[in-house]
């Protein structure tokens, strides 16, 4: 062995090996033996090397020399990196009590330095060589390199605690009331991406304005380095004024479009002209309507696609086979508003197809006319075929049957799951016999024909011998569609789709492929056949001008490619739940320009209700993935702060609204601290019978006007409607209730507002009901990154917004016959703790025919009748109890009696679920017949022991 500079040379049997002094794990060891001294070298990278039989004096001297060389080598290596080590060590120690928030983007470079130093030097230094003091200093850096997350977390905790104390006076005085602990925390937290969950009435504007002022006052940023973004001009102006008024800091808040327009102007030298409709949603919708109209009149191929859509795909093409119960099927059909081009409502999608085909081809018809021949007494209602062609007198019956292959190869006809097959097939036979006997022509169509894709072609073939088709001009049909007001809502759907299509950077091929994956079928294809030419024409009419989607995307492109150099280091975004794909792209592009840019977003995913304007809730739900930083191999790093406290709603409203919106498990969980405790029921549901809307609204306003008002000023009342056409006569209401300050808003327009009392109008079911069947159209999922799987997801958030406008009370006016699914949920689930207005609720009765509800109505004869809510589909109609004339007798379990709450009882009908028997006269004398006759022909003989009189139980005396 010999020392050769920084290496130890070893010669063994003529071979020479070299070991670096850096790799020595410890000084050499010597061991005296009978045959001489053994000297052993221990290395990190080689096996131990032992020299045996050396002279003890030589071995000891060599060992000493080697140790001195080894120590010199380690100390020299440490000295070469001393400055770097000191810098890293100081930064690591500063993390124990940081003077600024240790965001991932700030600590990551330090971690990279520490690990590089550890790899190149620190891990190779030997503590015995460098001494305990240097070893202790190195250990601090090595510990940080090995567990940086704990070090950063401890640093964050230390900073936040100190900063909250340091800025206490600022937080106490920046707003009219001291900020809450949650608001203060959200301001001092300064992660790469910070999301502040600001529920309704939680003071989000206070947070974002205080954050901007804090950044400047704390010396973290200069005003020009802060980009404060709002979605609307008035919100941006209010925010700018509020920041300067509260803190004296001049920071100008801007809309996304304003900053995008500025970026384009800086890069291009001038700003392109803005399309007239860009700032006017109504003008935008009207432009889409005009494009549709012009395409119908100018391009025959496109006009056919447009008419096809309205005639056959405007509503969701579901049939009986898509449902398990009559009630589910009927509810869906009613929500779809199956109105034909001729104007009447039909009972199924397949009937709608047939009716519209007849209308398109100029075949005049009547829907469900009474059959021209009187049918002898059968116990049935008057026979009403589905269609009668008025010129030829031909009848059309559409039968809801499909073909089923049997195991032996034969076929049989089957009905939907909830339909009695034998009874239905018997009805088909009876109808054929009626037409045969009276020599009227019957054309039959079947559900299996639609299933096989030949319903309408088959109908054309069957009618050919009897009818001459006279197709109506396409523009005439379109005028009819306009007359039926079907174009308005479709134009809004097209407009929403167009904006999301552009802002998300989609292609038609993307949409077609997604429609196939989602199995949206012919309806999606029909929609895209209309959308494609509409989009092409829309782009052509821009004529060099830009809309807001173009504006944002062009600005994002300039930022991404570096043609625009951003001065911003902090990007503060208000109402973040409304952000779109294109806006998110712009924010990401600005963030990517500098490594230390932070995104601070304030929003409430529970209030994301502007999908029609392009907002994409998934950007907020996946905030970390979209905007977060990275640290120690962890991506999507961000911080979420939940403000929790509401300064608006009392507990009953705040908790009910929270429970309601969280029924969708995709919504982000947030805690709620209400503004106060209600002493009276805060949410009421008032049921409204037909034509009672004005009276019931007046009753509610009267109660509010005469009720206690703890404040000296007049109580504020906000009337909310899902649509603008629901606005009542406001002048009349203000005149009648001058002691109240009454306003009307659509729910969307009410966002950000509040009132002492809120009244929600027309919470009914239907296509333009609430939930709206239009807004949540599945077609919009073709231009969304992810489909919202939860039914009525956005409409549920709209309802949350409506509920949380109220400080003290909320009253919901809902149809007695067709209440909204939301109303039914709120009323039936005890978790909401909601009461009905006194005297407004009748006992709920289930319809034995379809599973719907039996509702009490007053007939033309002044008597009370109980009619199924699905009156268009279900013929169930029952009189009130003959004894009390108000309540509905119901079947008693385990007996053959039907009893009323008044005490009367009747024999139960043997044929139907709901009927009972009353005395009737017939050809053969007196008998007991069902009260539902002629719908039900249940009967029984009158026995001597049983008179057909209501029997009352003997009244019990109280002890």
């Amino acid at each position: 062995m010999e020392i050769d500079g920084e290496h130890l040379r070893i010669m063994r049997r003529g071979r020479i090996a070299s070991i670096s002094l850096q790799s020595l794990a410890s000084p050499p060891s010597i061991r005296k033996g009978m045959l001489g001294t053994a000297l052993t070298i221990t290395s990190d990278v080689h096996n131990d090397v032992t020299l045996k039989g050396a002279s003890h004096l030589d071995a000891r001297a060599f060992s000493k020399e080697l140790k001195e060389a080894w120590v010199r080598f380690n100390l020299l290596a440490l000295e070469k990196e001393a400055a770097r080590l000191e810098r890293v060590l100081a930064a690591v120690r500063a993390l124990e009590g940081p003077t600024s928030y240790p965001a991932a983007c700030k600590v990551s470079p330090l971690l990279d330095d520490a690990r590089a130093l550890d790899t190149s030097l620190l891990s190779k230094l030997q503590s015995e060589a460098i001494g305990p003091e240097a070893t202790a200093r190195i250990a601090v850096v090595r510990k940080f390199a090995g567990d940086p997350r704990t070090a950063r977390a401890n640093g964050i905790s230390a900073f936040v605690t100190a900063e909250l104390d340091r800025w206490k006076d600022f937080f106490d005085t920046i707003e009219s009331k001291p900020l809450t602990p949650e608001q203060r925390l959200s301001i001092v937290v300064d992660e790469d991406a910070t999301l502040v969950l600001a529920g309704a009435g939680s003071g989000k504007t206070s947070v974002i304005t205080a954050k901007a002022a804090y950044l400047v006052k704390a010396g973290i940023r200069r005003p020009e380095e802060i980009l404060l973004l709002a979605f609307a001009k008035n919100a941006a102006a209010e925010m700018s004024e509020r920041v300067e008024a509260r803190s004296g800091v001049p920071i100008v808040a801007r809309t996304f479009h304003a900053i995008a327009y500025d970026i384009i102007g800086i890069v291009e030298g001038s700003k392109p002209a803005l399309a007239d409709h860009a700032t006017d949603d109504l003008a935008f919708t009207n432009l889409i309507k005009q494009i549709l109209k012009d395409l119908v009149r100018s391009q025959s191929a496109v006009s056919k696609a447009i008419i096809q859509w309205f005639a056959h795909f405007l509503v969701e093409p579901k049939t009986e086979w898509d449902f398990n119960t009559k009630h589910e099927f009927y509810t869906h059909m009613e929500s779809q508003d199956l109105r034909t081009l001729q104007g009447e409502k039909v009972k199924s999608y397949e009937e709608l197809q047939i009716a519209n085909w007849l209308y398109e081809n100029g075949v005049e018809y009547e829907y469900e006319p009474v059959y021209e021949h009187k049918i002898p007494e059968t116990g049935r209602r008057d026979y009403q075929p589905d269609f009668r062609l008025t010129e030829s007198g031909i009848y059309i019956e559409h039968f809801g049957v499909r073909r089923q292959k049997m195991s032996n190869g034969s076929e049989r006809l089957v009905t939907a799951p909830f339909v009695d097959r034998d009874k239905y097939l018997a009805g088909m036979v009876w109808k054929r016999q009626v037409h045969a006997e009276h020599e009227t022509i019957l054309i039959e169509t079947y559900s299996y024909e639609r299933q096989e894709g030949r319903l309408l072609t088959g109908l054309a073939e069957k009618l050919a011998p009897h009818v001459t088709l006279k197709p109506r001009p396409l523009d005439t049909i379109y005028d009819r569609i306009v007359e039926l007001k079907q174009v308005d809502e479709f134009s809004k759907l097209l407009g929403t789709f167009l904006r999301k299509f552009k802002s998300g950077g989609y292609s038609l091929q993307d949409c077609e492929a997604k429609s196939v994956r989602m199995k949206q079928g012919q309806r999606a294809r029909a929609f895209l056949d209309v959308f494609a030419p509409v989009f092409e024409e829309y782009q052509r009419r821009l004529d060099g001008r830009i809309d807001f989607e173009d504006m944002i995307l062009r600005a994002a492109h300039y930022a991404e490619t570096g043609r625009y150099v951003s001065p911003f280091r902090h990007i503060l975004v208000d109402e973040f739940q409304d952000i779109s794909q294109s806006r998110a792209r712009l924010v990401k592009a600005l963030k990517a320009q500098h490594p230390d840019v932070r995104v601070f977003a304030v929003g409430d995913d529970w209030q994301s209700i502007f999908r029609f304007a392009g907002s994409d809730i998934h950007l907020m739900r996946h905030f970390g993935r979209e905007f977060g930083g990275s640290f120690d191999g962890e991506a999507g790093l961000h911080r979420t702060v939940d403000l929790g406290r509401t300064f608006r709603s009392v507990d009953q409203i705040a908790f009910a609204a929270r429970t309601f919106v969280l029924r969708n498990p995709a919504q982000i969980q947030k805690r709620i601290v209400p503004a106060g405790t209600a002493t009276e029921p805060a949410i009421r549901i008032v049921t409204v019978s037909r034509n009672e809307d004005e009276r019931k609204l007046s009753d509610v306003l009267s109660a509010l006007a005469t009720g206690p008002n703890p404040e000296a000023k007049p109580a504020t009342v906000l009337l909310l409607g899902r649509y603008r056409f629901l606005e009542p006569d406001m002048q009349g209401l203000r005149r009648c209730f001058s002691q109240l300050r009454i306003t009307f808003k659509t729910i969307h327009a009410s966002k950000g507002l509040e009132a002492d009392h809120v009244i929600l109008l027309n919470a009914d079911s239907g296509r333009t009901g609430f939930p709206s069947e239009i807004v949540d159209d599945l077609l919009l999922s073709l231009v969304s990154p992810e489909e919202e799987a939860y039914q009525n997801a956005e409409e549920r958030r709209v309802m949350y917004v409506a509920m949380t406008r109220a400080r003290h009370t909320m009253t919901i006016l809902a149809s007695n016959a067709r209440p909204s699914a939301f109303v039914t949920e709120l009323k039936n689930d005890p978790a909401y703790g909601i009461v009905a207005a006194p005297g407004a609720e009748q006992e709920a009765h289930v319809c034995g025919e379809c599973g719907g509800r039996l509702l009490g109505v007053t007939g033309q004869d002044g008597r009370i009748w109980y009619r199924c809510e699905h009156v268009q589909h279900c013929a169930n109609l029952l009189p009130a109890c003959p004894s009390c004339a108000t309540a509905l007798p119901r079947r008693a379990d385990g007996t053959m009696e039907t009893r009323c709450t008044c005490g009367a009882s009747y024999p139960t009908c043997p044929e139907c679920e709901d009927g009972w028997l009353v005395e009737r006269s017939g050809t053969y004398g007196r008998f007991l017949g069902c009260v539902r006759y002629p719908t039900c022909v249940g009967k029984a003989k009158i026995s001597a022991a049983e008179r057909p009189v209501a029997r009352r139980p003997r009244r019990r005396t109280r002890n």
Side-chain angles (χ1 to χ4, degrees):
M1 293 182 179
E2 66 178 11
I3 299 170
D4 181 9
E6 296 180 355
H7 292 80
L8 177 66
R9 290 165 57 83
I10 300 170
M11 289 154 282
R12 178 188 295 164
R13 299 186 184 92
R15 287 183 165 183
I16 300 175
S18 178
I19 298 176
S20 168
L21 295 181
Q22 186 182 53
S23 70
L24 297 189
S26 61
S29 62
I30 57 176
R31 183 168 50 84
K32 219 173 176 185
M34 293 181 63
L35 300 177
T37 297
L39 185 148
T40 301
I41 305 295
T42 302
S43 167
D44 289 334
V45 295
H46 296 84
N47 295 327
D48 288 357
V49 178
T50 302
L51 175 68
K52 299 177 181 178
S55 156
H56 183 68
L57 290 175
D58 289 343
R60 190 169 64 180
F62 185 78
S63 175
K64 181 182 178 184
E65 185 181 353
L66 180 58
K67 180 179 179 181
E68 289 171 351
W70 175 64
V71 169
R72 280 196 307 274
F73 176 84
N74 274 269
L75 290 175
L76 183 60
L78 183 59
E79 186 179 347
K80 286 180 180 177
E81 293 285 9
R84 184 181 177 193
L85 173 61
E86 286 303 313
R87 176 172 53 80
V88 173
L89 179 61
V92 171
R93 283 179 170 166
L95 265 180
E96 296 170 5
T99 56
S100 62
Y101 188 91
C105 62
K106 289 185 66 176
V107 184
S108 284
L110 172 62
L111 178 59
D112 292 342
D113 277 355
R115 283 183 169 165
L117 184 60
D118 186 44
T119 301
S120 64
L121 175 66
L122 304 187
S123 62
K124 297 171 182 177
L125 295 175
Q126 303 298 329
S127 59
E128 193 175 341
I130 62 175
E133 184 181 345
T135 298
R137 292 158 64 79
I138 288 170
V140 175
V141 177
R142 297 204 70 195
K143 181 181 178 183
F144 169 71
D147 185 14
R149 298 187 192 187
T150 299
R152 194 175 86 91
N154 292 339
I156 289 171
S157 180
F159 172 79
V160 168
T161 301
E163 196 75 351
L164 289 172
D165 184 61
R166 186 159 45 243
W167 289 86
K168 181 179 181 302
D169 290 343
F170 173 79
F171 295 139
D172 285 343
T173 57
I174 184 69
E175 291 287 324
S176 56
K177 293 180 181 178
L179 299 184
T180 67
E182 297 86 2
Q183 289 174 323
R184 295 169 192 235
L185 176 63
S186 69
I187 292 165
V188 300
V189 165
D190 203 20
E191 195 51 82
D192 288 30
T194 302
L195 176 63
V196 179
L197 300 177
S202 62
K204 68 174 181 61
T205 308
S206 298
V207 165
I208 201 164
T209 52
K211 177 75 173 184
Y214 162 78
L215 289 172
V216 176
K217 284 183 169 292
I220 298 170
R221 298 296 185 204
R222 298 189 302 274
E224 62 270 20
E225 293 178 316
I226 299 171
L227 176 59
L228 187 52
L229 288 170
F231 278 80
K233 277 185 181 179
N234 55 353
E238 179 190 347
M239 212 174 293
S240 300
E241 293 170 8
R242 197 159 167 175
V243 170
E244 188 160 7
R246 296 281 196 269
S247 65
V249 176
I251 299 176
V252 178
R254 285 184 270 187
T255 65
F256 276 91
H257 297 122
I259 184 63
Y261 216 21
D262 287 346
I263 289 172
I264 293 170
I266 291 169
V267 174
E268 298 182 2
S270 63
K271 297 177 180 179
L274 191 60
D276 295 337
H277 62 268
T279 56
D280 188 339
D281 285 339
L282 180 60
F284 175 67
T285 302
N286 286 338
L287 173 62
I288 300 296
K289 286 168 65 175
Q290 188 61 48
I291 289 173
L292 282 171
K293 183 178 180 179
D294 293 345
L295 288 174
V296 167
R297 281 157 172 68
S298 63
Q299 298 185 33
S300 59
V302 176
S303 64
K304 286 177 182 176
I306 293 171
I307 299 302
Q308 269 292 103
W309 167 263
F310 282 105
H312 302 291
F313 295 103
L314 184 63
V315 297
E316 196 175 352
K318 287 188 176 182
T319 67
E320 301 96 308
W321 276 268
D322 297 305
F323 302 91
N324 292 318
T325 68
K326 286 183 182 179
H327 175 53
E328 291 173 356
F329 172 59
Y330 294 164
T331 300
H332 174 76
M333 287 298 106
E334 289 163 357
S335 74
Q336 290 300 298
D337 190 21
L338 301 179
R339 193 168 301 280
T340 70
L341 294 174
Q342 186 163 284
E344 69 271 316
K345 289 188 74 172
V346 294
K347 294 179 180 176
S348 74
Y349 173 72
E350 288 169 356
E351 285 188 351
L352 180 73
Q353 282 192 295
I354 293 169
N356 284 347
W357 183 88
L358 294 172
Y359 184 87
E360 287 177 87
N361 286 286
V363 180
E364 302 294 335
Y365 70 89
E366 296 175 83
Y367 179 64
E368 290 195 334
V370 174
Y371 187 54
E372 61 190 274
H373 298 288
K374 185 68 177 173
I375 308 298
E377 187 71 27
T378 62
R380 298 174 180 266
R381 297 175 66 179
D382 285 344
Y383 173 41
Q384 291 178 269
D386 292 332
F387 300 95
R388 179 179 179 273
L389 308 187
T390 53
E391 289 185 13
S392 60
I394 288 173
Y395 291 93
I396 300 174
E397 281 283 13
H398 179 68
F399 293 126
V401 290
R402 289 185 176 179
R403 295 197 266 218
Q404 182 184 58
K405 282 267 188 188
M406 306 299 288
S407 57
N408 61 4
S410 63
E411 284 186 341
R412 71 167 193 156
L413 295 178
V414 293
T415 53
F418 51 80
V419 176
D420 184 322
R421 175 180 176 273
D422 293 338
K423 188 174 179 181
Y424 192 88
L425 295 182
M428 291 172 62
V429 172
W430 179 82
K431 290 173 182 178
R432 289 167 182 157
Q433 289 174 344
V434 166
H435 287 280
E437 289 171 6
H438 294 87
E439 298 182 345
T440 49
I441 298 174
L442 174 65
I443 299 293
E444 298 181 17
T445 58
Y446 312 96
S447 287
Y448 64 74
E449 290 177 312
R450 175 178 174 266
Q451 196 181 17
E452 296 164 6
R454 56 186 185 86
L455 174 64
L456 301 180
T457 55
L459 177 60
E461 292 169 3
K462 294 167 190 175
L463 289 179
H466 313 283
V467 173
T468 301
L469 302 183
K470 294 173 285 188
R472 298 178 195 267
L474 295 176
D475 55 351
T476 301
I477 299 174
Y478 188 77
D479 289 341
R480 178 59 179 159
I481 292 166
V482 172
E483 194 179 316
L484 291 170
K485 301 192 183 317
Q486 293 179 344
V487 173
D488 295 358
E489 295 304 328
F490 180 61
S491 298
K492 291 178 184 176
L493 175 62
L494 273 174
T496 301
F497 194 94
L498 188 150
R499 281 174 165 165
K500 291 173 75 67
F501 181 85
K502 289 189 73 170
S503 67
Y506 291 93
S507 68
L508 285 170
Q509 290 74 22
D510 294 334
C511 296
E512 288 166 359
K514 195 168 184 181
S515 73
V516 172
R517 286 198 308 273
M518 296 180 65
K519 299 180 180 177
Q520 290 205 18
Q522 288 183 320
R523 186 167 185 262
R525 178 67 265 167
F527 178 81
L528 294 175
D529 284 345
V530 176
F531 173 73
V534 168
F535 178 69
E536 184 181 340
E537 180 63 16
Y538 171 83
Q539 291 293 96
R540 191 186 67 77
R541 294 192 185 192
L542 284 176
D543 192 26
R545 295 168 296 172
I546 60 172
D547 58 17
F548 283 153
E549 284 66 41
D550 293 326
M551 188 184 294
I552 300 284
L553 291 171
R554 195 179 299 185
H557 174 70
Y558 289 151
E560 288 165 346
T561 56
R563 293 183 65 185
Y564 170 75
V565 179
S566 168
F568 306 116
R569 295 299 196 276
H570 262 80
I571 303 171
L572 281 55
V573 188
D574 190 23
E575 300 286 7
F576 192 78
Q577 74 278 351
D578 295 332
I579 197 166
S580 63
Q581 285 287 329
S582 56
R583 291 182 176 101
R585 182 178 162 189
L586 176 59
V587 170
K588 291 176 192 176
L590 294 174
K591 183 177 187 294
Q593 287 215 351
H594 308 285
D596 63 337
V597 178
R598 323 288 168 83
V599 173
F600 181 82
V602 181
D604 182 9
D605 70 306
W606 296 0
Q607 297 186 72
S608 178
I609 61 172
F610 289 102
R611 185 165 70 172
F612 64 86
S615 68
D616 189 340
I617 193 172
H618 301 95
L619 291 164
M620 184 169 180
R621 287 182 181 162
H622 304 300
F623 179 75
R625 184 182 74 191
E626 298 288 341
F627 301 95
S630 59
F631 182 74
D632 188 29
E634 180 184 3
L637 205 65
H638 67 290
R639 179 77 179 264
T640 299
V641 181
D642 183 355
L643 295 186
R645 192 180 308 272
T646 175
F647 298 95
R648 180 180 302 157
S649 303
V650 293
D651 55 350
Q652 291 182 18
I653 295 173
F655 290 142
R658 179 184 187 275
T659 301
F660 184 82
V661 78
L662 284 180
R663 285 292 160 87
N664 180 356
Q667 301 292 165
I668 301 171
Q669 289 276 344
K670 290 190 283 289
R671 67 188 186 90
I672 292 293
V673 180
T677 303
T679 56
E680 297 286 336
I683 303 180
R684 293 176 178 268
I685 295 172
V686 176
T687 55
V688 181
S689 298
R690 192 174 180 182
N691 300 324
E692 275 193 332
D693 303 68
E694 290 184 12
R695 184 177 68 80
K696 286 295 180 82
L697 176 57
S698 293
D699 291 346
V700 173
L701 290 171
S702 296
L704 294 176
T706 56
N709 184 15
E711 301 176 15
K713 57 186 179 181
T716 55
V717 179
L718 178 59
L719 307 182
L720 292 178
R722 179 61 186 79
Y723 299 96
R724 174 146 298 284
F725 68 76
L726 295 174
E727 181 174 2
D729 174 13
M730 295 304 297
Q731 285 188 340
L733 290 176
R734 288 173 181 143
R735 192 167 51 248
C736 292
F737 302 100
S738 56
Q739 62 274 58
L740 299 173
R741 288 167 49 200
I742 308 172
T743 54
F744 171 86
K745 294 284 184 183
T746 64
I747 301 173
H748 285 82
S750 75
K751 198 163 170 294
L753 303 179
E754 59 183 43
D756 296 323
H757 310 286
V758 166
I759 302 173
L760 179 61
L761 308 175
N762 291 67
D764 304 337
S765 61
R767 189 163 176 78
T768 55
F770 187 29
S772 167
E773 298 292 334
I774 301 164
V775 173
D776 271 333
D777 199 304
L778 270 178
L779 290 166
L780 293 175
S781 62
L782 301 181
V783 282
S784 299
E786 298 177 40
E787 178 190 355
E788 284 204 83
Y790 200 78
Q791 186 177 15
N792 293 320
E794 177 153 293
E795 289 294 283
R796 184 168 287 269
R797 295 190 291 271
V798 175
M799 183 65 167
Y800 170 81
V801 170
M803 295 172 76
T804 52
R805 299 311 94 197
R807 283 196 286 264
H808 303 304
T809 73
M810 180 181 191
T811 304
I812 302 172
L813 301 181
S815 164
N816 183 42
R818 296 193 306 120
S820 155
F822 290 164
V823 170
T824 302
E825 177 184 332
L826 289 169
K827 187 165 59 175
N828 293 346
D829 193 331
Y832 295 113
I834 292 173
V835 300
E841 280 297 291
Q842 300 174 342
E843 185 181 356
H845 299 295
V846 177
C847 173
E849 295 298 303
C850 73
R853 295 176 306 135
L854 292 170
L855 305 171
V857 296
T858 302
Q860 291 182 347
D861 56 3
R863 296 166 58 198
I864 293 177
W865 293 78
Y866 285 82
R867 183 183 68 195
C868 180
E869 63 177 308
H870 303 300
V871 63
Q872 186 186 358
H873 303 272
C874 180
N876 202 359
L877 182 67
L878 294 155
C881 171
S883 181
C884 66
T886 56
L888 179 66
R890 302 300 281 162
R891 183 168 297 193
D893 291 339
T895 72
M896 290 301 293
E897 282 189 327
T898 295
R899 296 173 185 164
C900 180
T901 53
C902 73
S905 66
Y906 308 90
T908 293
C909 175
E911 295 291 331
C912 67
E913 290 289 328
D914 293 324
W916 64 90
L917 302 180
V918 294
E919 187 173 338
R920 295 184 181 279
S921 296
T923 306
Y924 301 105
R926 312 292 293 173
F927 68 98
L928 296 180
C930 182
V931 293
R932 296 181 62 233
Y933 179 85
T935 302
C936 176
V937 293
K939 62 180 67 174
K941 292 181 180 179
I942 300 177
S943 65
E946 182 178 9
R947 297 301 304 162
V949 186
R951 296 195 308 278
R952 294 180 181 273
R954 190 174 299 167
R955 189 174 296 175
R956 297 175 181 173
T957 57
R958 293 182 180 177
N959 295 326

